[in-house]
């Protein structure tokens, strides 16, 4: 016989348990399931769960919510692979107790047999600890005693007795669901602020047009001088594009992606990994030594910053693997190695690895060892370049393998591709993912996208990392919207998504494209050094610092599942809130999405969602400007002039 | 290594394959799945499937639809348990062919190596049958020959070659999904028209108030005389409430559910099964013998009618099992058998069976043998009484067991209870289910409910059977809406749902309730005999016959997945269509849901859905009145006077 109780639609479950749902240390994980049994008998249910390495199960009770849905919650206090299952059983005594109460309430008096039925249900509980048995014995004595019916019913349905029996359930027909995986990360996997910088640009020299002097690369030592400013802006993670030797063959020139004629001194693209000096485990000699790298990492740590490395599985034609392990590459019929192509486009400076090579085991092992090499040097965060062009089973394997020793690892998937591919990478194990945020500009687009990420099926495993810009992505919105655009896109990224990042230069509102219609930067740092004047008086650095401070101060901003969109009358204004657990500490963000014009509007706040229902006037304290407004009810007037400040970030407080 | 290709979200799949999706003989079953592989290489995919008893798999190709979704279709030509799986693999040659075409189109000329790469991809196909190998060899010769590049590219990308290679795919990294079950019924499991009758009422005598004569039961012989009229109305299934001996103990009197004082001659409720004459395998002596039953069934068959029996797992206190197998019932502490209760309500005339009895195996076997007994007498359709109060694992077991020999069995679940319980019974194996239709009256309610049944998750396994009335359900709508209400509810039931049924007396618009606010009939046939004047001139029988004729004539009405709601300007008018495969033979139904007032409105037809887009004027032929209208475009005027005719059933035809 199959299970006596029908258990279905267990959540959070991804692809029938093929993949793990995700949460972070400190979360309360709520498990839901439909439980069904014939007839009117009462059911009871529990979630069984265990932490990594635990053999025995712990249990937490489930409660009937509505429509045969049961919910139970447990806290997760450590990283790694947890698992859970749902169990259900018939609550025979509870059924009887409910019945006797109803019969008594309906005035039935001929209940001697019914009372004795209950006594026998208690009597058969010979499995209880002594203290519980004593309580039970007392109740049985009352039921069989000479007291009134009311006394007997009261004793039989006593809340303490029912609680005792709930703690020691009789589970004659206990039925378990399958066991489901749950992956628990450290909190940074969900809540993080990233800053992307090319270390070679810091302390570098790049000659202006007509200047004959040679370019000079920055070093880890000079780049480290930038770390205090990054920390001061409130970031958690400093992400470095590849720091390895760069290929010469087919090197791109400093003119940009179409410049196939590099000049002496053109440093090449960091993603063309590998040269005579080494490959994925070597440091570019211009940047320094491995020890310099270590020192940079240590300096970052001193400033509370984690260094994220780039993991790009591809080789320049000069990578040592090309000669040492030619079998790891696909060969063409003339014996040459196949360069990357997306016909008719050619990427001759890049050799992809062949994940299906006959020497697969050694290749995959070598790729794993690259990660292990950097892990051994203290790196725990990897931004993975184009994971959607590498074999999917490789990711599942390598992430699972490394996590066994290092559950604290964080992999950010840099896949800007089809939605199901992006979702699949997250299922396979990536802890965070880039998104389409950069191209979601309107109120409708932003609302729809954030709602899908927060409440859709993907919410169980896909953690968005919102980037308003990257070295590859200078959006039209930023190109044309000026400083207000940079401010408002920062607010949206940082306050909609618990994880977000910016690429260096954002604070200076760099927004000149290579050419009209292109998202490439003019003078892109991918092809040259780009030293910057960080101390410009118009830098957004203090603004960024303020935003990151708000993120840290307010628990509500660490999550995405709490985002809520409120109506606001202007179609170019967005109004959303986040609340801490228990609908406390509400933060309300209002953004004028139009960087060119002042906008004014009236809000229609959902006060219940904000935990402010029926409280009368309340304070709206703008955390950006330290201004306080007195608001009344759902409808409040707002005006935002983008040249002054495109956003309100309001901390709402009952008076 | 896990599968090389990622395969997810396979459909139709119920609860991860725990239960079977359903279809009927003659269906084209479409299987969908998300298939993902890294990079730009082309994928190919197929559905593997096999019919009951087949060892080897057949395959049908899948095509990329959109958003990484692949679809493949296969026909099912016999009843029983089918299964299917989805397979995916990399199409290496297709990838190369697409690349060479693009490179050539882009004007690249240095393609000798690329052409040879393709030749080698063909050359390694040593697994092909001789004829295919010859074709391949010819293409290789062209590729290595002295022809122009254009000739070579043309040969390499020739449609016939690609089709040949699709028929003989090279599947180096073939990955299969899990295998999923699919249950195929005969068509009647989905498309059926039921008529419920109490055979004891046909040919019966029931004395009027003050008449001292004794009541007289009808018999199978007298009841059989009613069969031609039922067949003439166009029904498929005649469903009989229990025909077994009826208990005496706590028998209900003819006054109805509250009459606990039966008079001599009161026949009792047929669902109080069992008396000294026998139990579930006996025939009530008043109805005749088993042979009379057989003759009734045979007579029904002669009229094209299947007899459905009632399967009600419960016993009167006089049922033979009570003394023969007391262990099959739950006993109270005083040794008596527990009657049915839903505290504080008591049902003392009914003993439930104890599905968890220690003699479980014998009980379940006996319950199975009851079905087998009637199956042996030619019964293939069972209406199961209150299955939601019997152990769910029992249903899964007994239906699966019986289906092994008899895949043609149809079980209709009579569960009016919580939605998830109703859904679960359908998952467990019930072929049809009663629904909430009787209480869905408004445009909004009907649209929402039909949409959920047709397009929701339940559509994969839940087959609705719409009943506007039953012996237990005389709705307020019918009580107050008069003849127009009976007509319009019939049209809705019969044309919205492929399966529907009515309970005898519907054609006479019987609508007097036991008391205000009750859904019980006054003088309910459940408690007495109810002979009727079938020949009344106002009988709806001809109207019902017309509706059933329309159902049979138009393929579109055999399905639910094709239902489509069109806008119509009056909020009390409903407009829906169904089309045959390929959007042909459209039937458009317009109903005035208000039985009291004429309504007029303008339609806003979705002509694309009707297969009538861009065709100019078209005919709307009313199949109820044989009137033809000339309609133009989506907007057409409609007026329906319920006293004349509350519905249009329009067959739309291009001119």
């Amino acid at each position: 016989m199959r299970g006596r109780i029908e258990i279905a639609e267990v959540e959070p479950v991804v692809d029938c348990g093929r993949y793990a749902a995700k949460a972070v240390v400190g979360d309360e994980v709520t498990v839901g399931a439909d439980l069904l049994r014939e007839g009117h008998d009462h059911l009871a249910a529990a979630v069984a769960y265990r932490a990594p390495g635990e053999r025995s199960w712990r249990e937490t009770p489930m409660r009937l919510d509505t429509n045969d849905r049961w919910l139970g919650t447990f806290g997760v206090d450590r990283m790694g692979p947890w698992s859970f299952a749902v169990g259900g059983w018939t609550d025979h005594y509870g059924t009887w107790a409910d019945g006797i109460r109803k019969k008594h309430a309906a005035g039935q008096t001929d209940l001697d047999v019914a009372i004795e039925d209950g006594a026998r249900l208690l009597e058969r509980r010979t499995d209880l600890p002594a203290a519980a048995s004593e309580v039970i014995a007392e109740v049985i004595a009352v039921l069989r005693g000479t007291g009134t019916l009311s006394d007997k019913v009261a004793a039989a349905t006593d809340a303490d007795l029912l609680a005792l029996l709930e703690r020691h359930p009789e589970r004659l027909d206990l039925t378990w669901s399958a066991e489901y995986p749950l992956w628990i990360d450290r909190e940074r996997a969900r809540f993080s602020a990233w800053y992307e910088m090319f270390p070679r640009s810091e302390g570098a020299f790049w000659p202006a047009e007509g200047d004959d002097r040679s370019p000079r690369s920055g070093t880890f030592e000079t780049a480290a001088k930038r770390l205090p400013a990054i920390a001061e802006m409130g970031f958690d993670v400093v992400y470095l594009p590849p720091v390895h030797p760069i290929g010469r063959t087919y090197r791109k020139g400093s003119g940009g992606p179409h410049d196939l004629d590099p000049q002496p001194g053109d440093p090449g693209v960091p993603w063309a990994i590998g040269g005579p000096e080494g490959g994925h485990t070597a440091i570019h000699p211009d940047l320094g030594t491995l020890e310099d790298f270590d020192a940079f990492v240590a300096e970052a740590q001193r400033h509370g910053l984690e260094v994220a490395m780039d993991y790009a599985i591809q080789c320049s034609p000069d990578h040592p693997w090309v000669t040492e392990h030619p079998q790891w590459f696909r060969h063409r019929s003339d014996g040459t190695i196949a360069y990357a192509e997306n016909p008719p486009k050619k990427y001759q400076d890049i050799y992809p690895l062949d994940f299906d090579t006959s020497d697969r085991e050694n290749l995959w092992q070598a790729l794993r060892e690259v990660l292990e090499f950097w892990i051994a040097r203290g790196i725990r965060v990897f931004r993975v370049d184009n994971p959607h062009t590498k074999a999917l089973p490789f990711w599942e394997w390598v992430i699972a393998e490394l996590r066994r020793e290092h559950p604290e690892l964080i992999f950010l998937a840099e896949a800007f591709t089809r939605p199901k591919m992006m979702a699949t990478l997250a299922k396979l194990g990536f802890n965070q993912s880039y998104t389409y945020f950069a191209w979601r500009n309107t109120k409708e687009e932003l609302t729809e996208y954030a709602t899908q990420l927060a409440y859709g099926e993907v919410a169980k495993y896909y953690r968005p990392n919102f980037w308003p810009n990257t070295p590859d992505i200078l959006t039209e919105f930023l190109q044309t919207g000026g400083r207000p655009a940079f401010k408002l896109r920062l607010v949206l990224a940082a306050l909609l998504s618990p994880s977000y990042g910016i690429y260096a230069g954002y604070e200076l509102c760099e927004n000149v494209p290579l050419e009209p219609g292109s998202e490439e930067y003019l003078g892109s740092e991918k092809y040259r050094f780009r030293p910057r004047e960080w101390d410009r008086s118009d830098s957004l650095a203090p603004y960024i610092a303020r935003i990151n401070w708000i993120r840290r101060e307010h628990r509500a901003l660490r999550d995405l599942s709490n985002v809520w969109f409120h109506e606001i009358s202007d179609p170019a204004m967005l109004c959303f809130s986040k609340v801490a657990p228990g609908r406390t500490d509400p933060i309300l963000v209002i953004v004028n999405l139009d960087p060119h014009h002042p906008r004014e509007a009236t809000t229609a706040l959902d006060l219940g969602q904000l935990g402010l229902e029926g409280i009368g006037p309340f304070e709206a304290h703008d955390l950006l400007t330290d201004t306080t407004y007195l608001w009344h009810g759902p409808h409040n007037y707002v005006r935002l002039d983008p040249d002054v400040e495109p956003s309100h970030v309001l901390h709402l407080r009952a008076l």
Side-chain angles (χ1 to χ4, degrees), chain A residues 381-395:
Chain A
V381 186
F382 294 93
R383 177 270 197 191
V384 178
D385 189 72
N386 285 324
H388 58 295
T389 61
K390 320 301 183 287
L392 298 178
F394 169 75
W395 294 123

mmCIF file with all atom_site columns, all heavy atoms in Angstrom, chain A residues 381-395:
data_model
loop_
_atom_site.group_PDB
_atom_site.id
_atom_site.type_symbol
_atom_site.label_atom_id
_atom_site.label_alt_id
_atom_site.label_comp_id
_atom_site.label_asym_id
_atom_site.label_entity_id
_atom_site.label_seq_id
_atom_site.pdbx_PDB_ins_code
_atom_site.Cartn_x
_atom_site.Cartn_y
_atom_site.Cartn_z
_atom_site.occupancy
_atom_site.B_iso_or_equiv
_atom_site.pdbx_formal_charge
_atom_site.auth_seq_id
_atom_site.auth_comp_id
_atom_site.auth_asym_id
_atom_site.auth_atom_id
_atom_site.pdbx_PDB_model_num
ATOM 1   N N   . VAL A 1 381 ? 34.821 34.053 -3.401  1.00 0.00 ? 381 VAL A N   1
ATOM 2   C CA  . VAL A 1 381 ? 33.772 34.554 -4.289  1.00 0.00 ? 381 VAL A CA  1
ATOM 3   C C   . VAL A 1 381 ? 34.298 34.556 -5.724  1.00 0.00 ? 381 VAL A C   1
ATOM 4   O O   . VAL A 1 381 ? 35.383 35.090 -5.985  1.00 0.00 ? 381 VAL A O   1
ATOM 5   C CB  . VAL A 1 381 ? 33.334 35.986 -3.884  1.00 0.00 ? 381 VAL A CB  1
ATOM 6   C CG1 . VAL A 1 381 ? 32.134 36.435 -4.714  1.00 0.00 ? 381 VAL A CG1 1
ATOM 7   C CG2 . VAL A 1 381 ? 33.007 36.060 -2.396  1.00 0.00 ? 381 VAL A CG2 1
ATOM 8   N N   . PHE A 1 382 ? 33.535 33.944 -6.616  1.00 0.00 ? 382 PHE A N   1
ATOM 9   C CA  . PHE A 1 382 ? 33.926 33.894 -8.018  1.00 0.00 ? 382 PHE A CA  1
ATOM 10  C C   . PHE A 1 382 ? 32.785 34.419 -8.878  1.00 0.00 ? 382 PHE A C   1
ATOM 11  O O   . PHE A 1 382 ? 31.636 34.010 -8.731  1.00 0.00 ? 382 PHE A O   1
ATOM 12  C CB  . PHE A 1 382 ? 34.249 32.458 -8.450  1.00 0.00 ? 382 PHE A CB  1
ATOM 13  C CG  . PHE A 1 382 ? 35.472 31.902 -7.765  1.00 0.00 ? 382 PHE A CG  1
ATOM 14  C CD1 . PHE A 1 382 ? 35.348 31.164 -6.592  1.00 0.00 ? 382 PHE A CD1 1
ATOM 15  C CD2 . PHE A 1 382 ? 36.735 32.136 -8.287  1.00 0.00 ? 382 PHE A CD2 1
ATOM 16  C CE1 . PHE A 1 382 ? 36.469 30.660 -5.954  1.00 0.00 ? 382 PHE A CE1 1
ATOM 17  C CE2 . PHE A 1 382 ? 37.873 31.633 -7.642  1.00 0.00 ? 382 PHE A CE2 1
ATOM 18  C CZ  . PHE A 1 382 ? 37.734 30.896 -6.477  1.00 0.00 ? 382 PHE A CZ  1
ATOM 19  N N   . ARG A 1 383 ? 33.152 35.329 -9.754  1.00 0.00 ? 383 ARG A N   1
ATOM 20  C CA  . ARG A 1 383 ? 32.221 35.788 -10.770 1.00 0.00 ? 383 ARG A CA  1
ATOM 21  C C   . ARG A 1 383 ? 32.566 34.976 -12.001 1.00 0.00 ? 383 ARG A C   1
ATOM 22  O O   . ARG A 1 383 ? 33.705 35.004 -12.478 1.00 0.00 ? 383 ARG A O   1
ATOM 23  C CB  . ARG A 1 383 ? 32.420 37.289 -10.978 1.00 0.00 ? 383 ARG A CB  1
ATOM 24  C CG  . ARG A 1 383 ? 31.574 37.929 -12.072 1.00 0.00 ? 383 ARG A CG  1
ATOM 25  C CD  . ARG A 1 383 ? 32.297 37.880 -13.380 1.00 0.00 ? 383 ARG A CD  1
ATOM 26  N NE  . ARG A 1 383 ? 31.750 38.801 -14.367 1.00 0.00 ? 383 ARG A NE  1
ATOM 27  C CZ  . ARG A 1 383 ? 32.090 38.777 -15.648 1.00 0.00 ? 383 ARG A CZ  1
ATOM 28  N NH1 . ARG A 1 383 ? 32.943 37.870 -16.094 1.00 0.00 ? 383 ARG A NH1 1
ATOM 29  N NH2 . ARG A 1 383 ? 31.573 39.662 -16.476 1.00 0.00 ? 383 ARG A NH2 1
ATOM 30  N N   . VAL A 1 384 ? 31.619 34.173 -12.465 1.00 0.00 ? 384 VAL A N   1
ATOM 31  C CA  . VAL A 1 384 ? 31.910 33.224 -13.534 1.00 0.00 ? 384 VAL A CA  1
ATOM 32  C C   . VAL A 1 384 ? 31.483 33.811 -14.869 1.00 0.00 ? 384 VAL A C   1
ATOM 33  O O   . VAL A 1 384 ? 30.327 34.184 -15.066 1.00 0.00 ? 384 VAL A O   1
ATOM 34  C CB  . VAL A 1 384 ? 31.209 31.881 -13.282 1.00 0.00 ? 384 VAL A CB  1
ATOM 35  C CG1 . VAL A 1 384 ? 31.486 30.920 -14.430 1.00 0.00 ? 384 VAL A CG1 1
ATOM 36  C CG2 . VAL A 1 384 ? 31.692 31.298 -11.955 1.00 0.00 ? 384 VAL A CG2 1
ATOM 37  N N   . ASP A 1 385 ? 32.457 33.873 -15.753 1.00 0.00 ? 385 ASP A N   1
ATOM 38  C CA  . ASP A 1 385 ? 32.265 34.499 -17.048 1.00 0.00 ? 385 ASP A CA  1
ATOM 39  C C   . ASP A 1 385 ? 31.514 33.557 -17.992 1.00 0.00 ? 385 ASP A C   1
ATOM 40  O O   . ASP A 1 385 ? 31.939 32.415 -18.201 1.00 0.00 ? 385 ASP A O   1
ATOM 41  C CB  . ASP A 1 385 ? 33.659 34.824 -17.619 1.00 0.00 ? 385 ASP A CB  1
ATOM 42  C CG  . ASP A 1 385 ? 33.596 35.670 -18.869 1.00 0.00 ? 385 ASP A CG  1
ATOM 43  O OD1 . ASP A 1 385 ? 33.273 36.863 -18.752 1.00 0.00 ? 385 ASP A OD1 1
ATOM 44  O OD2 . ASP A 1 385 ? 33.869 35.119 -19.958 1.00 0.00 ? 385 ASP A OD2 1
ATOM 45  N N   . ASN A 1 386 ? 30.414 34.032 -18.546 1.00 0.00 ? 386 ASN A N   1
ATOM 46  C CA  . ASN A 1 386 ? 29.660 33.271 -19.553 1.00 0.00 ? 386 ASN A CA  1
ATOM 47  C C   . ASN A 1 386 ? 29.486 31.784 -19.216 1.00 0.00 ? 386 ASN A C   1
ATOM 48  O O   . ASN A 1 386 ? 29.842 30.915 -20.011 1.00 0.00 ? 386 ASN A O   1
ATOM 49  C CB  . ASN A 1 386 ? 30.352 33.374 -20.913 1.00 0.00 ? 386 ASN A CB  1
ATOM 50  C CG  . ASN A 1 386 ? 30.118 34.732 -21.555 1.00 0.00 ? 386 ASN A CG  1
ATOM 51  O OD1 . ASN A 1 386 ? 29.045 35.310 -21.416 1.00 0.00 ? 386 ASN A OD1 1
ATOM 52  N ND2 . ASN A 1 386 ? 31.117 35.234 -22.248 1.00 0.00 ? 386 ASN A ND2 1
ATOM 53  N N   . PRO A 1 387 ? 28.944 31.465 -18.079 1.00 0.00 ? 387 PRO A N   1
ATOM 54  C CA  . PRO A 1 387 ? 28.800 30.040 -17.734 1.00 0.00 ? 387 PRO A CA  1
ATOM 55  C C   . PRO A 1 387 ? 27.873 29.295 -18.696 1.00 0.00 ? 387 PRO A C   1
ATOM 56  O O   . PRO A 1 387 ? 27.957 28.071 -18.805 1.00 0.00 ? 387 PRO A O   1
ATOM 57  C CB  . PRO A 1 387 ? 28.196 30.074 -16.324 1.00 0.00 ? 387 PRO A CB  1
ATOM 58  C CG  . PRO A 1 387 ? 27.550 31.416 -16.207 1.00 0.00 ? 387 PRO A CG  1
ATOM 59  C CD  . PRO A 1 387 ? 28.402 32.342 -17.021 1.00 0.00 ? 387 PRO A CD  1
ATOM 60  N N   . HIS A 1 388 ? 27.040 30.043 -19.410 1.00 0.00 ? 388 HIS A N   1
ATOM 61  C CA  . HIS A 1 388 ? 26.097 29.394 -20.320 1.00 0.00 ? 388 HIS A CA  1
ATOM 62  C C   . HIS A 1 388 ? 26.746 28.893 -21.592 1.00 0.00 ? 388 HIS A C   1
ATOM 63  O O   . HIS A 1 388 ? 26.074 28.285 -22.425 1.00 0.00 ? 388 HIS A O   1
ATOM 64  C CB  . HIS A 1 388 ? 24.964 30.360 -20.680 1.00 0.00 ? 388 HIS A CB  1
ATOM 65  C CG  . HIS A 1 388 ? 25.442 31.624 -21.317 1.00 0.00 ? 388 HIS A CG  1
ATOM 66  N ND1 . HIS A 1 388 ? 26.214 32.548 -20.657 1.00 0.00 ? 388 HIS A ND1 1
ATOM 67  C CD2 . HIS A 1 388 ? 25.265 32.125 -22.560 1.00 0.00 ? 388 HIS A CD2 1
ATOM 68  C CE1 . HIS A 1 388 ? 26.477 33.565 -21.462 1.00 0.00 ? 388 HIS A CE1 1
ATOM 69  N NE2 . HIS A 1 388 ? 25.920 33.319 -22.619 1.00 0.00 ? 388 HIS A NE2 1
ATOM 70  N N   . THR A 1 389 ? 28.045 29.157 -21.751 1.00 0.00 ? 389 THR A N   1
ATOM 71  C CA  . THR A 1 389 ? 28.732 28.579 -22.904 1.00 0.00 ? 389 THR A CA  1
ATOM 72  C C   . THR A 1 389 ? 29.651 27.440 -22.476 1.00 0.00 ? 389 THR A C   1
ATOM 73  O O   . THR A 1 389 ? 30.465 26.967 -23.268 1.00 0.00 ? 389 THR A O   1
ATOM 74  C CB  . THR A 1 389 ? 29.542 29.648 -23.672 1.00 0.00 ? 389 THR A CB  1
ATOM 75  O OG1 . THR A 1 389 ? 30.537 30.197 -22.786 1.00 0.00 ? 389 THR A OG1 1
ATOM 76  C CG2 . THR A 1 389 ? 28.643 30.782 -24.149 1.00 0.00 ? 389 THR A CG2 1
ATOM 77  N N   . LYS A 1 390 ? 29.531 27.018 -21.240 1.00 0.00 ? 390 LYS A N   1
ATOM 78  C CA  . LYS A 1 390 ? 30.302 25.873 -20.733 1.00 0.00 ? 390 LYS A CA  1
ATOM 79  C C   . LYS A 1 390 ? 29.314 24.760 -20.368 1.00 0.00 ? 390 LYS A C   1
ATOM 80  O O   . LYS A 1 390 ? 28.164 25.041 -20.012 1.00 0.00 ? 390 LYS A O   1
ATOM 81  C CB  . LYS A 1 390 ? 31.111 26.260 -19.486 1.00 0.00 ? 390 LYS A CB  1
ATOM 82  C CG  . LYS A 1 390 ? 31.757 27.649 -19.518 1.00 0.00 ? 390 LYS A CG  1
ATOM 83  C CD  . LYS A 1 390 ? 32.717 27.854 -20.660 1.00 0.00 ? 390 LYS A CD  1
ATOM 84  C CE  . LYS A 1 390 ? 33.417 29.217 -20.638 1.00 0.00 ? 390 LYS A CE  1
ATOM 85  N NZ  . LYS A 1 390 ? 32.582 30.362 -21.000 1.00 0.00 ? 390 LYS A NZ  1
ATOM 86  N N   . ALA A 1 391 ? 29.801 23.524 -20.390 1.00 0.00 ? 391 ALA A N   1
ATOM 87  C CA  . ALA A 1 391 ? 28.906 22.377 -20.191 1.00 0.00 ? 391 ALA A CA  1
ATOM 88  C C   . ALA A 1 391 ? 28.164 22.492 -18.860 1.00 0.00 ? 391 ALA A C   1
ATOM 89  O O   . ALA A 1 391 ? 28.774 22.639 -17.801 1.00 0.00 ? 391 ALA A O   1
ATOM 90  C CB  . ALA A 1 391 ? 29.703 21.079 -20.241 1.00 0.00 ? 391 ALA A CB  1
ATOM 91  N N   . LEU A 1 392 ? 26.852 22.393 -18.923 1.00 0.00 ? 392 LEU A N   1
ATOM 92  C CA  . LEU A 1 392 ? 26.054 22.523 -17.705 1.00 0.00 ? 392 LEU A CA  1
ATOM 93  C C   . LEU A 1 392 ? 26.413 21.462 -16.656 1.00 0.00 ? 392 LEU A C   1
ATOM 94  O O   . LEU A 1 392 ? 26.502 21.787 -15.468 1.00 0.00 ? 392 LEU A O   1
ATOM 95  C CB  . LEU A 1 392 ? 24.563 22.472 -18.050 1.00 0.00 ? 392 LEU A CB  1
ATOM 96  C CG  . LEU A 1 392 ? 24.081 23.610 -18.964 1.00 0.00 ? 392 LEU A CG  1
ATOM 97  C CD1 . LEU A 1 392 ? 22.601 23.454 -19.297 1.00 0.00 ? 392 LEU A CD1 1
ATOM 98  C CD2 . LEU A 1 392 ? 24.342 24.967 -18.325 1.00 0.00 ? 392 LEU A CD2 1
ATOM 99  N N   . PRO A 1 393 ? 26.615 20.203 -17.047 1.00 0.00 ? 393 PRO A N   1
ATOM 100 C CA  . PRO A 1 393 ? 26.946 19.206 -16.002 1.00 0.00 ? 393 PRO A CA  1
ATOM 101 C C   . PRO A 1 393 ? 28.263 19.528 -15.298 1.00 0.00 ? 393 PRO A C   1
ATOM 102 O O   . PRO A 1 393 ? 28.460 19.144 -14.148 1.00 0.00 ? 393 PRO A O   1
ATOM 103 C CB  . PRO A 1 393 ? 27.050 17.884 -16.774 1.00 0.00 ? 393 PRO A CB  1
ATOM 104 C CG  . PRO A 1 393 ? 26.339 18.123 -18.064 1.00 0.00 ? 393 PRO A CG  1
ATOM 105 C CD  . PRO A 1 393 ? 26.488 19.586 -18.363 1.00 0.00 ? 393 PRO A CD  1
ATOM 106 N N   . PHE A 1 394 ? 29.168 20.217 -16.006 1.00 0.00 ? 394 PHE A N   1
ATOM 107 C CA  . PHE A 1 394 ? 30.410 20.616 -15.345 1.00 0.00 ? 394 PHE A CA  1
ATOM 108 C C   . PHE A 1 394 ? 30.108 21.504 -14.154 1.00 0.00 ? 394 PHE A C   1
ATOM 109 O O   . PHE A 1 394 ? 30.666 21.320 -13.083 1.00 0.00 ? 394 PHE A O   1
ATOM 110 C CB  . PHE A 1 394 ? 31.339 21.341 -16.327 1.00 0.00 ? 394 PHE A CB  1
ATOM 111 C CG  . PHE A 1 394 ? 32.505 22.007 -15.650 1.00 0.00 ? 394 PHE A CG  1
ATOM 112 C CD1 . PHE A 1 394 ? 33.579 21.254 -15.179 1.00 0.00 ? 394 PHE A CD1 1
ATOM 113 C CD2 . PHE A 1 394 ? 32.520 23.385 -15.440 1.00 0.00 ? 394 PHE A CD2 1
ATOM 114 C CE1 . PHE A 1 394 ? 34.646 21.867 -14.518 1.00 0.00 ? 394 PHE A CE1 1
ATOM 115 C CE2 . PHE A 1 394 ? 33.579 23.999 -14.784 1.00 0.00 ? 394 PHE A CE2 1
ATOM 116 C CZ  . PHE A 1 394 ? 34.646 23.236 -14.328 1.00 0.00 ? 394 PHE A CZ  1
ATOM 117 N N   . TRP A 1 395 ? 29.230 22.484 -14.325 1.00 0.00 ? 395 TRP A N   1
ATOM 118 C CA  . TRP A 1 395 ? 28.950 23.411 -13.223 1.00 0.00 ? 395 TRP A CA  1
ATOM 119 C C   . TRP A 1 395 ? 28.349 22.676 -12.031 1.00 0.00 ? 395 TRP A C   1
ATOM 120 O O   . TRP A 1 395 ? 28.705 22.906 -10.885 1.00 0.00 ? 395 TRP A O   1
ATOM 121 C CB  . TRP A 1 395 ? 28.018 24.537 -13.681 1.00 0.00 ? 395 TRP A CB  1
ATOM 122 C CG  . TRP A 1 395 ? 28.642 25.436 -14.697 1.00 0.00 ? 395 TRP A CG  1
ATOM 123 C CD1 . TRP A 1 395 ? 28.184 25.714 -15.942 1.00 0.00 ? 395 TRP A CD1 1
ATOM 124 C CD2 . TRP A 1 395 ? 29.879 26.168 -14.548 1.00 0.00 ? 395 TRP A CD2 1
ATOM 125 N NE1 . TRP A 1 395 ? 29.038 26.565 -16.588 1.00 0.00 ? 395 TRP A NE1 1
ATOM 126 C CE2 . TRP A 1 395 ? 30.096 26.864 -15.757 1.00 0.00 ? 395 TRP A CE2 1
ATOM 127 C CE3 . TRP A 1 395 ? 30.821 26.287 -13.533 1.00 0.00 ? 395 TRP A CE3 1
ATOM 128 C CZ2 . TRP A 1 395 ? 31.204 27.669 -15.968 1.00 0.00 ? 395 TRP A CZ2 1
ATOM 129 C CZ3 . TRP A 1 395 ? 31.928 27.098 -13.731 1.00 0.00 ? 395 TRP A CZ3 1
ATOM 130 C CH2 . TRP A 1 395 ? 32.110 27.774 -14.934 1.00 0.00 ? 395 TRP A CH2 1
#
